[in-house]
Amino acid sequence: MLLDPLFRRIVRQGELIITDASGKEHRYGAPDPDRAPVRLTFRDKRVPLDVARRPVLGFPEAYMNGRIDVEGDDILAFVDLFRFNARWETSIDDGLGVGEHPLLTKLGRFNNLRKSKRNVAHHYDLSDRLYDLFLDRDKQYSCAYFTPENEDRDLDRAQLEKKAHIAAKLNLKSGQRVLDIGCGWGGMALYLNRVADVDVLGITLSEEQLKVARRRAKEAGVADRVQFELIDYRALKGKFDRIVSVGMFEHVGVPSFREYFAKVRDLLTDDGVALIHTIGRMGPPGYTDSFTAKYIFPGGYIPALSETVAASEREHLMLSDVEVLRLHYGYTIQHWYDRTGAAKEQIVALYDERFYRMWRFYLAGALTAFTQADMANFQLQYVRDRHALPLTRDYIAEAETALLAKG
């Protein structure tokens, strides 16, 4: 089979069993007592050729189109097997970028005003019902924060603790003006207003998210203090005591990094504080794989810490605190993956089988990127003035405890 060299090189521990279109069985790897064998079926004779040409795009497209089936509807088992055998901690070459063209993928990083809105709509203007099916009650579509006390890894609790953790780092004071860049469905903005008595402006490029966020503010009776606007951060004017941005920096694009941080600095008051919560690479700068760029996050890019800080320091923003969340997003996406599987019938009814398979493959890839590959979450705290925050980090834990007591 055309794919023999690829599978034999990568799959060493754990078993991969493929039944080709003629009914012949191909086995790769070795039994692992901690892993059940992964079984795939190729439904037509062209699958090996289409996958071999460009595995990163060819495999998921064949899977999405029903040309590859995985036993038990568990595409995660296959993706995890591959990434486990090329685990970031132990592998220099993960072997998963075969056929990718980094120079070509960089062409999609330029996000001007028109392109940014179109890219956001591609992902975030999907049906609200889809996100209701797999997110927590507050619709937090970003990494949750799991603590040892959350023994059952309850997603709703972990998302609440994420919001409290971020709010604590902002060192909020009653009456302050807060900007939420990329506000999603409004959960963070509404939370900050409720627990810290602050006024919040949330901005987004998603028309669907804007409708939900405004409705939620009206229903909570705080529409006069928590407002939402459809506007690009580059077009915003004014001054804010605090700026928070959760899961938005991944959509900025490398060519706009300095522009982004220059705008954050310009919008902050002299004694202001900003907290950027973003997915990041634990290794050096990379590129967005072709599947993600085409189907999931066009224009998106996961930054390395080195290129992020290099951009912010040139804009004279002081990095006052860095936290790396190594495991939290893996735990978060496991919930999303499981819930998506449980809601298969509803998702297929909303869209179709192809969309369901695409979404499951996306979540499987994202989950294993955090458990086996080089992804983590960074929380980057910035100030304009070194005197803007207390001398030590003790205030964070103290504020977090007080915030969680409020529920």
Side-chain angles (χ1 to χ4, degrees), residues 184-240:
W185 293 276
M188 177 64 75
L190 291 165
Y191 174 81
L192 296 180
N193 167 262
R194 178 172 64 83
V195 300
D197 187 36
V198 293
D199 296 318
V200 188
L201 172 63
I203 61 173
T204 179
L205 292 178
S206 168
E207 296 184 10
E208 294 303 314
Q209 288 184 331
L210 179 70
K211 294 175 186 176
V212 174
R214 283 180 169 174
R215 186 187 72 233
R216 292 180 68 185
K218 184 177 181 180
E219 290 172 351
V222 295
D224 58 330
R225 300 194 64 191
V226 183
Q227 299 178 338
F228 298 98
E229 298 293 341
L230 190 73
I231 186 172
D232 191 285
Y233 70 94
R234 288 166 284 198
L236 192 63
K237 299 184 184 300
K239 289 290 183 180
F240 298 86

Side-chain angles (χ1 to χ4, degrees), residues 87-389:
R87 194 163 177 260
W88 186 80
E89 286 89 336
T90 57
S91 178
I92 300 299
D93 176 15
D94 65 13
L96 301 180
V98 179
E100 290 290 84
H101 304 285
L103 291 178
L104 294 179
T105 61
K106 290 180 180 179
L107 296 177
R109 293 183 181 180
F110 294 90
N111 290 310
N112 57 31
L113 293 174
R114 181 180 299 177
K115 189 176 180 182
S116 291
K117 190 175 188 305
R118 184 173 68 247
N119 289 340
V120 166
H122 179 92
H123 192 90
Y124 296 101
D125 283 352
L126 296 171
S127 169
D128 285 343
R129 178 59 181 154
L130 170 68
Y131 292 103
D132 287 337
L133 289 170
F134 72 92
L135 297 180
D136 64 299
R137 288 192 295 267
D138 196 38
K139 295 183 79 166
Q140 291 290 307
Y141 192 27
S142 59
C143 176
Y145 186 70
F146 293 85
T147 61
E149 290 74 24
N150 188 356
E151 295 178 359
D152 297 329
R153 293 184 186 167
D154 176 80
L155 182 60
D156 287 291
R157 178 66 186 182
Q159 291 292 11
L160 174 63
E161 297 206 21
K162 184 267 296 294
K163 289 176 285 188
H165 195 56
I166 289 174
K169 290 184 177 183
L170 288 169
N171 196 34
L172 297 162
K173 302 292 186 295
S174 177
Q176 287 181 328
R177 192 175 185 219
V178 180
L179 171 65
D180 184 353
I181 302 177
C183 61
W185 293 276
M188 177 64 75
L190 291 165
Y191 174 81
L192 296 180
N193 167 262
R194 178 172 64 83
V195 300
D197 187 36
V198 293
D199 296 318
V200 188
L201 172 63
I203 61 173
T204 179
L205 292 178
S206 168
E207 296 184 10
E208 294 303 314
Q209 288 184 331
L210 179 70
K211 294 175 186 176
V212 174
R214 283 180 169 174
R215 186 187 72 233
R216 292 180 68 185
K218 184 177 181 180
E219 290 172 351
V222 295
D224 58 330
R225 300 194 64 191
V226 183
Q227 299 178 338
F228 298 98
E229 298 293 341
L230 190 73
I231 186 172
D232 191 285
Y233 70 94
R234 288 166 284 198
L236 192 63
K237 299 184 184 300
K239 289 290 183 180
F240 298 86
D241 302 291
R242 300 290 187 264
I243 295 177
V244 62
S245 184
V246 179
M248 179 272 178
F249 189 66
E250 301 90 326
H251 301 281
V252 170
V254 178
S256 300
F257 278 6
R258 287 191 62 182
E259 181 182 24
Y260 173 86
F261 284 114
K263 191 63 179 180
V264 168
R265 188 180 193 280
D266 178 62
L267 292 169
L268 271 181
T269 58
D270 290 342
D271 60 349
V273 179
L275 194 287
I276 313 300
H277 172 109
T278 179
I279 301 171
R281 301 176 189 272
M282 293 187 285
Y287 60 92
T288 303
D289 69 89
S290 52
F291 167 76
T292 302
K294 182 176 181 179
Y295 290 103
I296 307 301
F297 292 115
Y301 172 72
I302 305 302
L305 186 60
S306 56
E307 58 191 334
T308 303
V309 175
S312 63
E313 64 189 14
R314 289 184 179 183
E315 299 308 323
H316 227 61
L317 270 175
M318 182 180 297
L319 185 62
S320 49
D321 191 81
V322 180
E323 183 175 6
V324 181
L325 306 181
R326 295 165 287 112
L327 302 172
H328 299 260
Y329 219 160
Y331 296 157
T332 304
I333 301 175
Q334 184 69 63
H335 280 281
W336 298 349
Y337 181 82
D338 293 342
R339 292 180 179 195
T340 300
K344 178 179 180 179
E345 290 185 10
Q346 296 97 308
I347 294 173
V348 171
L350 271 175
Y351 293 100
D352 54 28
E353 176 79 21
R354 185 176 188 272
F355 180 92
Y356 168 78
R357 285 181 171 229
M358 179 193 75
W359 204 258
R360 287 274 279 182
F361 189 89
Y362 146 57
L363 292 176
L367 195 163
T368 56
F370 290 95
T371 58
Q372 309 286 4
D374 64 340
M375 298 298 171
N377 254 80
F378 300 138
Q379 288 192 346
L380 311 175
Q381 183 196 64
Y382 287 99
V383 295
R384 289 184 57 161
D385 188 308
R386 71 190 70 203
H387 301 288
L389 290 165

